[in-house]
Amino acid sequence: MKMICYLAGGYPSMEKSLEIAELYVRAGCDAIEWSLPPKDPYVDPPYIAEKMQKAREACGDYEVYLERLQGFCRRFPDTEIILLLYQETILELSPGRLAAFCRDNGIETILSGNLTDEAAKARLMQEGIKIAASMNYTMYPEEISRVCSANGFVYMQALPSQRDLDEGRGRKTLKKAIELLREKGVSRPVYCGVGIRRPEDVAFIKESGGQGFFLGSTLMQYYEKPERLAEVIRCYKAAGETS
């Protein structure tokens, strides 16, 4: 089970976020989901959106973020980076330049929760960049179509929200969703995120057919306690290896 740790680039400060990224690596994470803060993080849940906004308030210059990320990639060339970007950020940087940056720094995949610009998506894919696609329990036809047309991994909702429960979508939905994607011909990896709060959730994801998991707010609450943060990462890492 691949363990992917989310990093809010620039939060709580530029240098502190780099220290956290290094801690992630030394604690054993398999990949880092590295975000650049958008002007309006409306897609993300409030807890993470707040961190993005604080990072943006402290530094709104993407050149600084890219420079720091490039430095990290050169120091840790064997660490997989998944770049989390809003469509607005992709367009501001330009798909061509962004693709060149990714190639130069060994970044293969971009994950975006709101990338609907087909021209930008096509340009990135033409440049050899993998585009990860997200999938919710609702499994609307347009969501399935978007996942099928992507060339990167699938970011699948891990656990049901309260709304899902109210509408009759429970934990068994994850297994059904992954099976549906396989039936549609999706052979790319399925990594699950959102709602993971216990190491036991990792076993549930694996039993449902997931091949990896994301940790976000579960880790961010320990940003000021590095020893505890490392301990939590190792705990989930062990759960992914033994589940």
Side-chain angles (χ1 to χ4, degrees):
M1 292 285 282
K2 177 178 285 190
M3 180 173 67
I4 306 162
C5 297
Y6 170 74
L7 181 83
Y11 177 84
S13 69
M14 194 68 72
E15 295 308 316
K16 184 67 175 179
S17 66
L18 292 173
E19 292 175 9
I20 293 169
E22 183 173 339
L23 184 151
Y24 282 178
V25 175
R26 301 197 186 286
C29 81
D30 298 304
I32 299 177
E33 179 192 18
W34 195 302
S35 72
L36 302 188
K39 294 178 180 178
D40 179 12
Y42 63 92
V43 174
D44 285 278
Y47 182 82
I48 291 180
E50 177 189 5
K51 302 332 186 246
M52 287 182 164
Q53 289 173 326
K54 289 184 177 180
R56 181 83 186 189
E57 290 169 1
C59 179
D61 186 351
Y62 284 136
E63 298 303 321
V64 176
Y65 287 94
L66 294 179
E67 179 184 350
R68 298 299 193 277
L69 175 54
Q70 182 176 60
F72 181 87
C73 290
R74 290 177 176 174
R75 289 182 60 209
F76 299 94
D78 295 328
T79 298
E80 179 182 356
I81 301 296
I82 298 166
L83 202 50
L84 177 63
L85 300 173
Y86 273 58
Q87 174 171 283
E88 299 88 320
T89 304
I90 293 173
L91 296 179
E92 181 174 337
L93 292 171
S94 88
R97 186 200 170 194
L98 182 58
F101 174 86
C102 289
R103 288 197 306 272
D104 291 344
N105 292 283
I107 299 172
E108 296 183 351
T109 304
I110 290 175
L111 172 63
S112 177
N114 70 335
L115 180 57
T116 58
D117 188 306
E118 292 301 325
K121 181 179 176 181
R123 175 65 186 278
L124 289 168
M125 292 173 67
Q126 288 169 3
E127 296 281 351
I129 304 302
K130 294 179 180 179
I131 305 298
S134 58
M135 180 82 168
N136 296 318
Y137 277 9
T138 49
M139 294 180 288
Y140 294 129
E142 57 268 27
E143 292 178 324
I144 297 174
S145 177
R146 185 175 63 250
V147 168
C148 290
S149 66
N151 64 344
F153 67 80
V154 179
Y155 186 118
M156 182 70 213
Q157 177 183 347
L159 295 166
S161 64
Q162 186 57 53
R163 179 177 179 178
D164 289 318
L165 295 174
D166 293 341
E167 296 180 358
R169 295 184 289 268
R171 290 171 68 93
K172 293 182 180 180
T173 304
L174 177 58
K175 181 177 177 61
K176 293 178 181 178
I178 294 176
E179 289 176 344
L180 176 60
L181 292 178
R182 297 310 186 203
E183 291 172 2
K184 293 291 184 179
V186 177
S187 59
R188 290 166 278 119
V190 175
Y191 304 142
C192 303
V194 181
I196 300 172
R197 296 288 182 268
R198 308 172 304 159
E200 291 84 354
D201 293 333
V202 175
F204 161 69
I205 291 170
K206 186 172 185 179
E207 292 167 1
S208 300
Q211 296 155 285
F213 60 98
F214 289 80
L215 294 179
S217 56
T218 297
L219 300 180
M220 296 177 77
Q221 61 183 310
Y222 298 111
Y223 272 13
E224 299 302 322
K225 301 177 180 179
E227 292 184 4
R228 177 57 177 155
L229 176 57
E231 180 183 342
V232 170
I233 292 173
R234 287 191 289 267
C235 181
Y236 276 89
K237 176 73 172 179
E241 292 174 345
T242 59
S243 61

